[in-house]
Amino acid sequence: MTDAVDFDGRTCPAPIYDQEQVLLGHGSGGTLSADLIRRVFLPELGNDVLNALEDQAMLPLFDLASGMGADPGAADQPRLAFTTDAFVVKPLFFPGGDIGKLAVHGTVNDLAVGGARPLYLSAAFILEEGLPLAMLRRIVVSMREACAEAGVQLVTGDTKVVDRGKGDQVFITTSGIGLAPAGRRLSIQSAQPGDKILVSGTLGDHGIAIMSLREGIEFETVLESDTASLHDLTRVMLEACPAIRCMRDPTRGGASSTLNELAAASQVGVQLDQAALPVRREVNAACEMLGLDPLYVANEGKLIAVVPPEDADRLLQVMQNHPRGRDAAVIGEVVRDHPGMVVMRSLIGGERVVTMLAGEQLPRIC
């Protein structure tokens, strides 16, 4: 949603952030999403855990013997990781995946990037009247296969049905529980100047796969979503480099939202190198054709990691030796300059600010 701002008789669309109704952009994972959280949810529901705005909540384990929770600040105690997510992707089936795989992978990854071992999932299905049972069964089979691959169990769930035309076939909400070992503290607030920023693979694959299917764009090779579980990649990364500051999976809003959230939370600057960004040739071509920037396009099987500079080369090698990290790259560093901002050095040597996504680039992406 934009409004027109007049500059000497010329008009320029400027985003409106004081809307009194929900817009598609509120689900983008960008500026409007962050504004909705700050204006509506945190004032009423905020607490020390929620206010951290991590991909998962890290909670003290409950002491059954004493009936008391463990000290949440104790570094020598394991913690319970808890996350929840909703999936409304359109179409339900796409090259490389479907809404079922996406629901499992997305929830597992939110636990894994927090340094936790994913254990259990729940799933709630909102089904539209008239949905073919064969389609639902295909989604459920896909979820079972994804759970088996990630080593998690789906242990509880719920099903609701809405009137024909009211639900767009299937919506899935999942929650996940995992266990973070004692002493592990990954946080988006932990980045320090000098740290290196790594990405585990090519950017924009999921979003462009969805968009090319919707728009009927054909390429020499089939573009596939990168949806995948990252639990094993994060395991080997943390074994090789326990000093990792934080990890995030750049889903809605793409890498731009993740890096802007990092800069704001840690009150540091982020300096990117465009030449270092791993982007498939087909994805880059599609972005140029559609007027998109790969930094703003959703990913569903990639992570961004922030690591002390002395560990960056070793961690990069470990990532590249893993099937989920073959295209890993160092894409930038954390700096003292311009705190709260992300700046990218372009291919021709100039610099530009990489802001968060202002509106909705591609709705119903995950």
Side-chain angles (χ1 to χ4, degrees):
M1 184 72 179
T2 60
D3 198 4
V5 179
D6 191 282
F7 294 98
D8 297 326
R10 294 169 292 176
T11 60
C12 177
I16 296 176
Y17 299 121
D18 59 352
Q19 290 295 311
E20 293 304 320
Q21 60 185 10
V22 174
L23 308 174
L24 270 177
H26 283 121
S28 67
T31 303
L32 285 175
S33 295
D35 182 68
L36 185 69
I37 292 169
R38 285 193 300 266
R39 291 178 59 199
V40 177
F41 295 110
L42 291 184
E44 303 298 334
L45 302 174
N47 53 62
D48 289 345
V49 178
L50 184 61
N51 292 349
L53 297 179
E54 303 284 358
D55 279 345
Q56 66 299 120
M58 287 294 181
L59 308 170
L61 287 174
F62 193 76
D63 187 339
L64 294 178
S66 66
M68 300 292 290
D71 179 4
D76 60 344
Q77 296 175 345
R79 291 178 300 164
L80 189 72
F82 179 55
T83 190
T84 192
D85 209 341
F87 298 86
V88 294
V89 66
K90 182 177 183 180
L92 298 176
F93 303 92
F94 46 84
D98 55 68
I99 191 172
K101 278 188 170 63
L102 205 61
V104 173
H105 293 158
T107 309
V108 165
N109 291 347
D110 279 349
L111 297 171
V113 295
R117 180 166 65 93
L119 296 172
Y120 302 107
L121 303 184
S122 71
F125 297 81
I126 298 178
L127 310 175
E128 182 186 2
E129 179 187 15
L131 175 74
L133 285 181
M135 183 178 292
L136 178 60
R137 186 173 292 109
R138 180 180 170 189
I139 292 169
V140 172
V141 168
S142 184
M143 294 181 74
R144 173 179 57 78
E145 293 172 348
C147 284
E149 179 189 6
V152 297
Q153 289 183 297
L154 202 159
V155 295
T156 189
D158 188 37
T159 303
K160 296 292 189 296
V161 178
V162 297
D163 296 340
R164 190 184 300 267
K166 302 296 184 180
D168 207 358
Q169 297 188 302
V170 181
F171 297 153
I172 302 177
T173 297
T174 51
S175 294
I177 292 175
L179 190 64
R184 183 167 292 168
R185 293 290 187 272
L186 277 67
S187 173
I188 199 170
Q189 301 176 27
S190 298
Q192 299 180 18
D195 288 348
K196 299 297 183 180
I197 301 170
L198 289 74
V199 66
S200 64
T202 52
L203 298 172
D205 295 351
H206 176 72
I208 293 302
I210 297 292
M211 180 170 283
S212 63
L213 187 62
R214 290 184 191 175
E215 302 299 327
I217 302 172
E218 296 183 358
F219 298 92
E220 294 179 1
T221 59
V222 177
L223 287 178
E224 292 191 350
S225 167
D226 61 346
T227 181
S229 173
L230 300 174
H231 68 291
D232 193 60
L233 175 61
T234 59
R235 178 186 63 79
V236 299
M237 288 172 63
L238 287 164
E239 287 177 355
C241 183
I244 292 174
R245 311 277 195 208
C246 74
M247 296 186 287
R248 296 287 281 248
D249 54 336
T251 53
R252 294 177 306 158
S256 67
S257 288
T258 297
L259 293 170
N260 273 278
E261 290 168 357
L262 170 75
S266 292
Q267 277 303 289
V268 295
V270 169
Q271 184 75 46
L272 298 179
D273 182 0
Q274 185 178 9
L277 298 179
V279 182
R280 296 186 191 280
R281 179 175 56 85
E282 297 85 356
V283 169
N284 196 58
C287 285
E288 290 182 354
M289 182 187 310
L290 298 167
L292 303 177
D293 185 330
L295 285 171
Y296 292 88
V297 180
N299 313 271
E300 290 294 339
K302 304 293 171 19
L303 64 81
I304 288 175
V306 178
V307 63
E310 61 271 18
D311 295 323
D313 289 342
R314 182 173 77 257
L315 181 62
L316 178 64
Q317 188 64 54
V318 168
M319 294 170 72
Q320 291 176 340
N321 288 338
H322 192 280
R324 299 290 185 212
R326 281 192 294 260
D327 296 314
V330 177
I331 61 172
E333 64 180 330
V334 177
V335 296
R336 295 186 187 278
D337 298 336
H338 49 79
M341 294 176 58
V342 179
V343 174
M344 184 167 70
R345 187 166 44 250
S346 72
L347 295 174
I348 59 175
E351 290 189 337
R352 69 176 177 90
V353 176
V354 179
T355 60
M356 290 186 78
L357 187 65
E360 179 60 85
Q361 193 173 53
L362 184 62
R364 303 283 303 279
I365 190 67
C366 63

